Amino acid sequence: MKKLQGKIALVTGSSQGIGQAIAIRLAQEGANVVINYRSHPEGAEETLAKVKAAGGECYMTDGFTIQADTGLVADVQRMVSDSVAHFGKLDILVNNAGIEKNADFWDVTEADYDAVMNVNLKGVFFATQAFAKHVMVTQQPGKVINISSVHEDLPFPHFAAYCASKGGLKMLTRNLSVELAPWGITINNVAPGAIETPINTKLLNNPEQLGALLKNIPLKRLGKPADVASMVAFLASAESDYVTGTTFFVDGGLLWNYQEQ
Ligand code: BGC
């Protein structure tokens, strides 16, 4: 019996990067997966094909793609209710979609601040609310996994709104772990460090910046989306039933690395 057999998972932002790897990994563990995208339908289709193939010949996994801007409350509510309507229930919510904007603090515009906070925090808040309401009715256990960042703790100069959103996500998870526990819902954060994904395209194409970053990573490599996905698979499964309200760093040691030269 596969770890997530019979489970239905919704993964936001799963048309690329970490979200795509999570969707595929959860399907490999036996889950059916709802693949959310905002503006890359072709990426979402690619994820869907891999989700469907994930079970191999002897085990069928299913999925469907759904367009929704997770920065919009009406969109996230529709996304959750359509997922429930399609599969009849939802067991696992992975709030993965996230964006960042690089600017000096004094130049940050209201539009950029709102864009970051809406996707990284407000959308997570209301997707989790819609998911919790569903789980409360079905009285089945629920798992919420938020993809946060080392920057829920670690300052990242020139990314002030991003850090504020991830710091908010840290506290949201702590708070909801207490409030949702009576309903059998656990909620945890996975906090990646530097991972090879499209959000890091600029960095990956800048050898000098990349070299400086690698010096700060004790394990001396960037992470891969699959490194993050394996932690999510654990948190989505019954193996983590006694785990809630905490953050798991997947960062090659980046966060706690300090050395005097
Ligand atoms: C950010 C990346 C950054 C990494 C390590 C992530 O949260 O999205 O841009 O490279 O943290 O600092």
Side-chain angles (χ1 to χ4, degrees):
M1 170 114 169
K2 296 202 179 209
K3 201 150 85 171
L4 298 179
Q5 203 159 316
K7 301 290 182 191
I8 312 294
L10 164 60
V11 184
T12 69
S14 46
S15 60
Q16 59 180 14
I18 292 173
Q20 183 175 64
I22 292 169
I24 295 164
R25 179 63 198 264
L26 297 185
Q28 285 167 347
E29 301 293 350
N32 290 336
V33 186
V34 183
I35 298 141
N36 155 252
Y37 67 97
R38 183 184 58 180
S39 44
H40 293 108
E42 60 304 325
E45 288 304 325
E46 185 189 307
T47 310
L48 179 60
K50 291 185 176 165
V51 159
K52 285 186 169 168
E57 273 177 21
C58 25
Y59 187 82
M60 288 291 290
T61 38
D62 200 4
F64 77 101
T65 66
I66 184 163
Q67 196 284 334
D69 180 345
T70 58
L72 301 172
V73 175
D75 271 30
V76 297
Q77 290 171 340
R78 171 178 55 80
M79 175 179 72
V80 171
S81 61
D82 283 4
S83 303
V84 171
H86 186 97
F87 281 120
K89 64 162 187 166
L90 207 48
D91 306 288
I92 300 156
L93 170 66
V94 183
N95 288 305
N96 164 79
I99 57 172
E100 64 185 31
K101 305 264 181 188
N102 181 351
D104 292 334
F105 170 66
W106 42 93
D107 286 335
V108 174
T109 62
E110 185 178 356
D112 280 356
Y113 174 92
D114 283 345
V116 169
M117 295 301 271
N118 287 349
V119 172
N120 295 8
L121 190 56
K122 186 176 170 183
V124 174
F125 190 107
F126 286 100
T128 305
Q129 183 189 66
F131 175 79
K133 283 183 181 177
H134 163 68
V135 170
M136 284 163 160
V137 173
T138 60
Q139 297 194 320
Q140 293 295 308
K143 302 265 187 192
V144 181
I145 299 123
N146 299 318
I147 306 306
S148 174
S149 166
V150 285
H151 302 298
E152 69 166 46
D153 273 339
L154 184 70
F156 194 13
H158 318 292
F159 291 86
Y162 183 75
C163 287
S165 72
K166 297 298 185 181
L169 194 51
K170 173 180 177 179
M171 197 57 208
L172 182 65
T173 291
R174 305 293 184 271
N175 199 70
L176 294 186
S177 67
V178 179
E179 198 168 343
L180 297 179
W183 301 92
I185 301 172
T186 62
I187 177 165
N188 292 287
N189 283 10
V190 173
I195 311 292
E196 283 173 28
T197 69
I199 212 172
N200 278 322
T201 305
K202 263 196 195 157
L203 170 78
L204 295 168
N205 291 326
N206 181 332
E208 206 178 309
Q209 216 189 334
L210 187 59
L213 173 63
L214 285 172
K215 273 197 193 143
N216 287 326
I217 302 177
L219 289 180
K220 292 288 172 249
R221 67 167 174 92
L222 292 194
K224 299 208 175 295
D227 292 319
V228 182
S230 53
M231 181 62 83
V232 175
F234 164 70
L235 292 171
S237 78
E239 289 180 68
S240 65
D241 275 354
Y242 197 57
V243 177
T244 194
T246 196
T247 296
F248 295 83
F249 292 91
V250 181
D251 69 348
L254 170 75
L255 180 61
W256 298 119
N257 185 32
Y258 171 73
Q259 296 175 40
E260 293 207 14
Q261 298 307 324

